[in-house]
């Protein structure tokens, strides 16, 4: 069927409730390979968002695709009441790795999709602490199921539907380029952290019973690098201080690594950059290179042992499915076999250096370039260097999808992702396998887009 026919059917028969219509008209792709998506005419689009930050090892990754094919031939599905080797092996590997990194024994519970895994984390916390509400960050994103939206800051996701349970108490994230309090990191003395700690000074600030020595909130849900919030990289000192405050008040720390886990930031978990130990980790996305929606949570033994979290506590038909666990297991083997810390950091540094050069060409308009590993951000501003410029950012995305940029006499497109509190950030999550030439091409195409869009 041609594109016109597809669009007509989509308009009549597809729900528009997902994210597809955030771009008009939605772009249709027909194929993918390596770092590229292809439209029906075969035009290559260099992809800097890689299937919503899932396909870290590239499209059509031969090894991982082969693993999936082999699993399809051997044990493609299994009733969720039975065990298969891959489920046990992947859970043990993640738990053993965390034991090594954090010196904490724990267990893994698998599910499908980031949001359902977040729901599992919320269940674990509520069950272990007997407290429903939690703290979470402004600008945080944890998914759009009802429980997840209660800890995701945007009211937009709750407005029509409300939420189950208690809405989180949202506190400002240490987003230093746009400090909530209007301060500068050089001399702020971590004012935002001090403001958070003040909540515990007296019961009259609403969260703390000083006689019982107990907080009303069971956990703090956080992203070590904010994803949807615009790849915001926080100062480590903030989180070292936050962890101390939480630990002293017996508040659990839930680390949402759905977008940043599995070396996106150059370490296995992004929280390793912050030198703190979480009680729960939630993961998904990169775990299967985007080939299967497998996700999961790791939790410390005291929160997830079979006495406290007994059989049937949570369940989903496709959780721990054989295809997903087989690919995930191979992803972990791949990460063990090759030095991804080195690879991701080297390529990320090369990419950032070039983006900083681009920033020199468009000073102020490119207000901020930053990155950790291969989680990269470009924040666009107006001529004053600080007012957010969402119109420019949107233009770059739309123009990139036209597929008529030029390089060496060939047409290209560029696939970009908009994020940020003001929708003025390009959050880039390129493939770990991107070549130096492809990084050069990405920056060249970005430059062409800027020339087109800067009015
Ligand atoms: C940090 C984070 N948590 C949770 C989610 C929700 O995951 P999913 O979209 O798979 O439900 C996302 C999705 O982008 C995410 O970035």
């Amino acid at each position: 069927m041609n594109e016109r026919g597809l669009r007509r059917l989509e308009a009549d028969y597809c729900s528009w409730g997902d994210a597809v219509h955030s771009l008009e008209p939605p772009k249709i792709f027909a194929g993918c390979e390596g770092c590229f998506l292809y439209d029906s005419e075969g035009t290559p689009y260099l992809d800097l968002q890689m299937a919503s930050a899932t396909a870290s090892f590239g499209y059509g990754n031969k090894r991982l695709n082969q693993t999936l094919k082999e699993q399809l031939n051997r044990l493609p599905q299994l009733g969720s009441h039975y065990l298969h080797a891959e489920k046990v092996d992947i859970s043990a590997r993640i738990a053993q790795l965390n034991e090594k990194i954090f010196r904490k024994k724990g267990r893994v519970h698998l599910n499908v999709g980031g949001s359902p895994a977040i729901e599992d984390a919320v269940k674990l916390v509520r069950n272990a602490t007997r407290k429903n509400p939690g703290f979470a960050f402004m600008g945080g994103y944890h998914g759009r199921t009802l429980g997840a939206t209660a800890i995701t800051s945007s009211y937009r996701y709750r407005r029509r539907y409300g939420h189950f349970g208690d809405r989180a108490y949202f506190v400002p994230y240490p987003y230093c380029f746009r400090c909530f309090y209007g301060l500068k990191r050089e001399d702020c003395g971590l004012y935002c952290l001090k403001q958070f700690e003040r909540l515990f000074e007296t019961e009259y600030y609403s969260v703390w019973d000083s006689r019982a020595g107990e907080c009303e909130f069971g956990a703090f849900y956080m992203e070590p690098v904010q994803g949807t919030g615009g790849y915001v990289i926080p100062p480590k000192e903030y989180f070292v201080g936050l962890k101390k405050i939480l630990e002293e008040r017996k508040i659990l720390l839930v680390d949402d690594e759905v977008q940043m886990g599995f070396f996106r930031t150059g370490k296995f978990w992004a929280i390793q950059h912050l030198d703190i130990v979480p009680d729960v980790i939630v993961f998904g996305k990169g775990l299967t290179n985007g080939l299967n929606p497998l996700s999961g949570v790791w939790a410390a033994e005291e929160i997830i042992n079979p006495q406290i979290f007994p059989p049937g506590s949570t369940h989903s038909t496709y959780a721990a499915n054989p295809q997903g666990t087989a690919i995930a297991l191979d992803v972990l083997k791949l990460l063990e076999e090759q030095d991804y810390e080195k690879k991701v950091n080297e390529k990320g540094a090369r990419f950032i250096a070039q983006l900083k050069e681009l920033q020199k060409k468009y000073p102020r308009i490119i207000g901020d370039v930053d990155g950790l590993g291969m989680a990269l951000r470009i924040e666009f501003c107006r001529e004053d260097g600080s007012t957010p410029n969402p119109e420019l950012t949107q233009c770059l995305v739309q123009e990139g999808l036209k597929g008529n940029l030029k390089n060496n006499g060939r047409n290209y497109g560029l696939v970009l992702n908009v994020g940020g509190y003001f929708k003025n950030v390009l959050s880039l999550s390129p493939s770990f396998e991107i070549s130096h030439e492809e990084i050069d091409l990405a920056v060249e195409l970005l430059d062409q887009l800027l020339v087109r869009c800067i009015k």
Side-chain angles (χ1 to χ4, degrees):
M1 188 182 296
N2 65 23
E3 285 205 0
R4 270 185 65 194
L6 271 181
R7 288 190 195 285
R8 214 174 307 125
L9 280 181
E10 197 264 349
D12 278 350
Y13 295 113
C14 290
S15 151
W16 285 25
D18 55 21
V20 165
H21 283 271
S22 56
L23 274 181
E24 291 297 352
K27 182 77 188 171
I28 300 174
F29 285 110
C32 60
E33 183 66 37
C35 295
F36 290 92
L37 288 170
Y38 294 89
D39 63 16
S40 54
E41 284 159 16
T43 307
Y45 293 70
L46 181 56
D47 191 350
L48 299 183
Q49 60 87 52
M50 295 305 290
S52 306
T54 61
S56 304
F57 306 95
Y59 296 126
N61 182 297
K62 286 199 174 48
R63 168 174 169 168
L64 298 173
N65 284 10
Q66 184 57 29
T67 299
L68 177 57
K69 285 177 197 161
E70 281 165 18
Q71 191 66 32
L72 267 176
N73 290 333
R74 200 167 54 75
L75 181 70
Q77 66 263 82
L78 183 69
S80 50
H81 295 85
Y82 308 109
L83 265 183
H84 58 285
E86 291 78 8
K87 174 201 167 165
V88 179
D89 203 352
I90 180 81
S91 303
R93 275 174 195 250
I94 292 176
Q96 285 164 358
L97 185 86
N98 282 357
E99 215 165 318
K100 218 153 87 193
I101 300 173
F102 302 118
R103 310 207 173 286
K104 247 190 193 184
K105 158 86 174 75
R107 291 169 192 260
V108 166
H109 185 99
L110 297 168
N111 207 327
V112 275
S115 309
I118 288 284
E119 301 283 333
D120 287 343
V122 172
K123 273 191 175 182
L124 282 163
V125 166
R126 288 185 176 199
N127 181 51
T129 63
R130 300 281 157 203
K131 292 172 193 296
N132 290 353
F135 293 104
F137 280 115
M138 294 178 189
Y141 184 86
H142 303 285
R144 291 198 211 176
T145 51
L146 281 167
T149 53
I151 56 167
T152 291
S153 66
S154 300
Y155 169 50
R156 182 162 68 89
Y157 303 140
R158 292 187 294 272
R159 188 174 64 83
R160 292 166 183 275
Y161 322 105
H163 42 85
F164 283 142
D166 300 78
R167 177 189 189 277
Y169 188 114
F170 293 104
V171 301
Y173 192 79
Y175 175 10
C176 301
F177 183 74
R178 280 188 197 287
C179 173
F180 183 75
Y181 297 103
L183 302 173
K184 291 270 169 261
R185 179 68 198 102
E186 303 84 78
D187 53 10
C188 73
L190 290 178
Y191 180 78
C192 53
L193 184 65
K194 288 181 182 149
Q195 288 303 105
F196 178 67
E197 191 163 26
R198 286 195 61 202
L199 291 177
F200 301 92
E201 278 175 4
T202 159
E203 68 181 65
Y204 292 92
Y205 293 158
S206 86
V207 304
W208 181 245
D209 181 340
S210 42
R211 292 187 194 177
E214 229 185 80
C215 183
E216 190 175 7
F217 294 64
F220 202 126
Y221 298 86
M222 52 81 81
E223 292 163 89
V225 170
Q226 284 195 328
T228 305
Y231 283 19
V232 184
I233 300 160
K236 170 176 147 179
E237 321 79 82
Y238 176 95
F239 277 97
V240 172
L242 180 73
K243 173 70 185 176
K244 187 163 174 286
I245 294 167
L246 300 179
E247 211 159 57
E248 285 168 4
R249 291 160 182 90
K250 299 191 177 61
I251 302 163
L252 299 177
L253 184 72
V254 179
D255 171 23
D256 182 347
E257 298 266 357
V258 168
Q259 191 153 169
M260 295 297 157
F262 308 106
F263 281 98
R264 173 53 56 198
T265 66
K267 289 199 184 283
F268 194 94
W269 303 119
I271 201 170
Q272 290 174 261
H273 291 283
L274 304 176
D275 275 348
I276 55 173
V277 177
D279 298 291
V280 178
I281 297 178
V282 189
F283 52 86
K285 289 201 191 251
L287 175 62
T288 61
N289 203 37
L291 292 171
N292 187 281
L294 194 76
S295 65
V297 310
W298 168 90
E301 184 71 4
E302 61 272 22
I303 298 169
I304 201 173
N305 72 70
Q307 282 69 48
I308 189 167
F309 201 64
S313 293
T314 185
H315 162 79
S316 177
T317 300
Y318 292 103
N321 72 84
Q323 293 174 44
T325 47
I327 310 160
L329 187 55
D330 207 28
V331 163
L332 284 210
K333 286 181 187 165
L334 187 59
L335 291 174
E336 276 168 26
E337 286 163 20
Q338 294 184 27
D339 190 347
Y340 271 90
E341 182 158 348
K342 186 161 173 254
K343 186 184 214 169
V344 169
N345 283 316
E346 268 177 16
K347 289 189 184 176
R350 184 185 174 96
F351 214 141
I352 292 176
Q354 294 206 37
L355 293 175
K356 290 216 184 255
E357 284 304 310
L358 194 65
Q359 187 181 24
K360 283 186 195 152
K361 217 167 148 186
Y362 302 94
R364 298 180 302 283
I365 297 267
I366 297 183
D368 187 46
V369 167
D370 204 357
L372 203 53
M374 290 182 87
L376 314 171
R377 76 188 312 270
I378 315 173
E379 178 147 0
F380 294 98
C381 303
R382 296 200 192 287
E383 272 298 339
D384 62 7
S386 69
T387 307
N389 196 339
E391 296 81 11
L392 172 62
T393 318
Q394 189 65 18
C395 175
L396 299 172
V397 173
Q398 300 269 19
E399 289 295 322
L401 289 176
K402 287 188 176 161
N404 58 4
L405 300 165
K406 302 278 182 229
N407 189 266
N408 280 335
R410 198 170 172 197
N411 275 356
Y412 282 94
L414 191 63
V415 183
L416 300 165
N417 182 55
V418 177
Y421 297 20
F422 299 93
K423 302 282 171 251
N424 67 321
V425 177
L426 291 178
S427 343
L428 311 183
S429 50
S431 164
F432 297 165
E433 312 303 338
I434 195 170
S435 67
H436 289 174
E437 293 72 28
E438 286 163 341
I439 294 175
D440 296 347
L441 176 64
V443 179
E444 159 61 25
L445 297 180
L446 264 173
D447 196 359
Q448 287 182 33
L449 285 175
L450 282 159
V451 170
R452 269 195 207 183
C453 290
I454 291 175
K455 304 279 178 336

